[in-house]
Amino acid sequence: MSCDEDESGPFVVFFLPAVLGCLTILLARRWAYSQVNNTSSTAISRRRKIIKDPLIKRPLPPVTNKMVAPKKLSGSSKKAVPDEDLANGKRVRTRLLSNAPIPETKLSEGPSTPKHIPFPYIPQDGELLFEIMTFTFLAVAAGLQFLNLYRTAWWLPTSYTTQAMHFHLVDPHVVMFILGIISPRLLLSASVAIMRLFVAPKLMPHVILAARMFILGSVIGMLGWSTYYLFIKYPFLKMIYLIYPSIIYFVLFGFQLDAFLELNHTETLPMHSCSHDPEQIRSEVEMLKEDFNLRVKKTLFHSIIGAYYTTFVPCCFAQPFLYYDVVLAAQQVCLVWGSLCGRYAAQLIPAAFCDAPHRAARHLGLWKLEGTAPSELSDVPEWTGNRFWAQGSRVRSSNQVYVATTTTVADPTYMAHVRFHTVFNNPSKLLCLLVCLQLSLVLLQLCLLFSSIVWHYFLSIVVLLFINYYSLYKMLRDYLVAWKVYKAENLIQDKNVQAN
């Protein structure tokens, strides 16, 4: 059967991934909500449950060090009036009526702390589930690229083969090398998940270290074995295609192997501590900035490496006599790279991660450049980093005059503080950008799906749409939750400013 004669093919292929994508999202959502609470939910409705955020530090009620019995008062100036009964273990409140003035309590002078509201819990994919889905996607993407290269016309009556692909032309050592690149994180995650069932928690660090060394040695041996046979069969120039991504890895991450074996060191998100020390606030901002930059580097690197080895390397090691459509192969490389970018971004930069940098950005504040400072301007103080600057303050730094748009401790000449505050003052804008990019990728794939008539390219786009629908769902959910939360926080902040 040929797709050239079936004009309704694109419509059927469009609705098929849409329906299957919706079913996948519903099943994933049901599974995710089942992981939120281990207790029974028959007493309280799920909509009325309040999940407390462990990252929010709530003030503790004051506790008295010593309980003293109330003294008996005499005279008309002081009189004890009981408000509550002592029966049945009830608390006794004693009110003193006196004509003496009540001493005033001085509040600590300092800036008003920004008001934070708890961020709701959003379930995310576990490490093992994420690695299983990512490995499956990468393996399928590699298989689809091999299908684009070695496809057959198996449906023709005059065809000499009944298989959809020339399997004898696929080099098994290339396949072995690709599997060695995309499998280490899955092997480590599965090993750790299994060992946690049988090993005591105090021994887990040593067991994880041994598992990492064993998996790393096995992967290096597998890559070396396949590279040896590829070096015998192919010229040296093609060996560079296999080696040079490692140079990029050492440039970005150095000689640390954590980024290769683990996507993230821990599933615990960074925490924020409300502080009145300007130096501590800037140190926290630097730490969160480095963590965010590392997550962005991992997102770009792993997506590029995954797309490179699963879609570009098969084209590099194709036989010289093989003819294939270079444009369609290049489109497959770009689509797989975009799909991986969305998948890693949804996992590494969720809405819950952006909450801690957002709170730090509120404490950091922002300066606005006013102009060049004249030499005779002496009433504007020089900026110092050991104090808070109120909103509207004017300071000098590097022969420039800056005005504080909010209460700030930021360095006006340090552009990293400006970028940090711009990005995380309202993280819903960053999440909205990710949603727009992912939605554009899905729409592009749908346009390519309707415009193409090649059956194997149909199959490639449909499979890629499954993972893109799931990533789009996660990003859109994070954006809607963050948009509502930060909109409510801004309303509370505006009311506090008006009240003061």
Side-chain angles (χ1 to χ4, degrees):
M1 181 175 59
S2 175
C3 290
D4 298 339
E5 300 176 359
D6 189 4
E7 297 180 355
S8 62
F11 297 95
V12 176
V13 176
F14 166 71
F15 287 110
L16 177 62
V19 173
L20 294 180
C22 293
L23 292 176
T24 304
I25 291 173
L26 290 176
L27 292 176
R29 183 180 180 183
R30 184 175 180 181
W31 176 88
Y33 277 116
S34 66
Q35 304 296 322
V36 175
N37 296 315
N38 296 326
T39 58
S40 175
S41 60
T42 56
I44 304 176
S45 174
R46 283 187 177 183
R47 294 183 179 179
R48 299 182 59 187
K49 284 183 178 180
I50 300 177
I51 303 175
K52 296 183 179 180
D53 187 1
L55 305 181
I56 304 301
K57 294 184 177 180
R58 295 178 175 84
L60 297 176
V63 181
T64 57
N65 295 330
K66 186 177 180 181
M67 297 183 63
V68 181
K71 297 181 179 180
K72 185 180 295 184
L73 303 176
S74 60
S76 59
S77 60
K78 297 182 181 180
K79 184 178 181 181
V81 181
D83 278 357
E84 295 183 1
D85 195 3
L86 190 59
N88 298 326
K90 292 184 178 180
R91 186 176 56 187
V92 175
R93 182 188 302 171
T94 304
R95 182 173 59 190
L96 299 179
L97 299 179
S98 175
N99 297 328
I102 301 176
E104 296 182 358
T105 304
K106 285 189 178 182
L107 300 177
S108 59
E109 297 180 357
S112 59
T113 305
K115 302 298 181 181
H116 307 310
I117 61 177
F119 196 85
Y121 175 78
I122 303 178
Q124 296 290 332
D125 295 338
E127 181 182 357
L128 181 58
L129 176 61
F130 176 81
E131 295 300 341
I132 291 175
M133 295 179 64
T134 304
F135 176 80
T136 304
F137 173 74
L138 290 174
V140 171
L144 292 174
Q145 189 69 314
F146 281 117
L147 179 63
N148 293 333
L149 298 177
Y150 305 109
R151 64 190 181 277
T152 63
W154 52 272
W155 66 89
L156 296 178
T158 58
S159 178
Y160 61 90
T161 181
T162 58
Q163 298 177 346
M165 187 170 60
H166 295 291
F167 290 98
H168 64 281
L169 296 178
V170 180
D171 194 330
H173 297 100
V174 175
V175 177
M176 185 184 301
F177 191 92
I178 294 174
L179 292 177
I181 290 294
I182 66 177
S183 61
R185 295 202 313 270
L186 174 62
L187 295 177
L188 182 61
S189 300
S191 302
V192 171
I194 294 174
M195 287 185 296
R196 283 176 179 171
L197 301 176
F198 306 100
V199 181
K202 63 180 181 179
L203 299 177
M204 280 302 299
H206 306 285
V207 175
I208 292 176
L209 180 60
R212 292 176 62 181
M213 298 302 296
F214 176 77
I215 292 175
L216 182 62
S218 302
V219 169
I220 292 177
M222 183 178 179
L223 295 178
W225 177 268
S226 57
T227 304
Y228 171 74
Y229 283 97
L230 291 175
F231 183 77
I232 295 176
K233 293 183 290 186
Y234 295 95
F236 177 75
L237 181 60
K238 290 190 176 182
M239 295 296 103
I240 300 179
Y241 296 145
L242 299 177
I243 298 174
Y244 91 89
S246 60
I247 301 176
I248 302 176
Y249 177 86
F250 289 119
V251 170
L252 293 177
F253 304 104
F255 292 94
Q256 300 178 358
L257 298 177
D258 297 336
F260 179 70
L261 293 175
E262 294 177 319
L263 186 64
N264 205 3
H265 295 287
T266 176
E267 295 182 0
T268 305
L269 296 175
M271 300 181 64
H272 164 72
S273 60
C274 293
S275 174
H276 290 285
D277 184 7
E279 187 63 31
Q280 184 177 356
I281 293 175
R282 287 191 291 267
S283 300
E284 182 185 17
V285 167
E286 286 295 323
M287 181 191 66
L288 294 174
K289 177 179 69 70
E290 293 177 359
D291 186 34
F292 175 73
N293 293 338
L294 181 61
R295 290 172 181 263
V296 172
K297 287 195 298 183
K298 287 184 177 181
T299 299
L300 296 177
F301 177 78
H302 287 293
S303 59
I304 292 175
I305 291 299
Y308 177 84
Y309 281 105
T310 58
T311 55
F312 182 74
V313 168
C315 299
C316 296
F317 287 87
Q319 286 75 8
F321 57 83
L322 182 66
Y323 171 79
Y324 61 92
D325 194 337
V326 179
V327 176
L328 293 183
Q331 286 182 358
Q332 183 74 1
V333 175
C334 296
L335 292 178
V336 171
W337 173 68
S339 302
L340 288 174
C341 277
R343 177 150 184 78
Y344 284 115
Q347 182 70 15
L348 290 176
I349 315 177
F353 162 77
C354 298
D355 188 57
H358 163 71
R359 299 182 181 189
R362 284 296 181 93
H363 287 270
L364 180 66
L366 182 66
W367 292 97
K368 182 180 179 181
L369 179 63
E370 187 179 69
T372 305
S375 57
E376 65 275 3
L377 190 61
S378 59
D379 57 340
V380 178
E382 190 75 18
W383 179 83
T384 57
N386 56 358
R387 53 163 292 187
F388 283 82
W389 298 90
Q391 182 177 0
S393 301
R394 299 172 71 240
V395 297
R396 289 182 301 167
S397 181
S398 300
N399 296 326
Q400 301 288 337
V401 177
Y402 296 89
V403 180
T405 59
T406 59
T407 302
T408 178
V409 296
D411 187 349
T413 59
Y414 190 35
M415 294 306 300
H417 286 174
V418 179
R419 291 191 296 266
F420 186 88
H421 187 275
T422 303
V423 173
F424 292 109
N425 185 44
N426 188 2
S428 60
K429 296 180 180 179
L430 174 63
L431 300 175
C432 181
L433 176 62
L434 296 178
V435 170
C436 293
L437 294 177
Q438 187 68 19
L439 183 60
S440 302
L441 180 62
V442 171
L443 295 178
L444 176 62
Q445 287 181 305
L446 292 177
C447 293
L448 294 175
L449 185 66
F450 283 106
S451 61
S452 178
I453 59 175
V454 184
W455 69 272
H456 56 89
Y457 199 59
F458 265 172
L459 184 61
S460 300
I461 297 179
V462 169
V463 173
L464 294 180
L465 276 173
F466 289 151
I467 196 67
N468 289 332
Y469 283 148
Y470 183 64
S471 301
L472 180 62
Y473 158 73
K474 293 179 63 177
M475 290 181 179
L476 186 60
R477 178 196 60 183
D478 288 358
Y479 165 69
L480 293 177
V481 173
W483 175 69
K484 291 183 179 180
V485 168
Y486 297 132
K487 182 180 179 181
E489 186 180 73
N490 291 331
L491 292 177
I492 296 175
Q493 192 72 18
D494 293 341
K495 289 183 180 179
N496 293 333
V497 172
Q498 293 177 1
N500 296 331

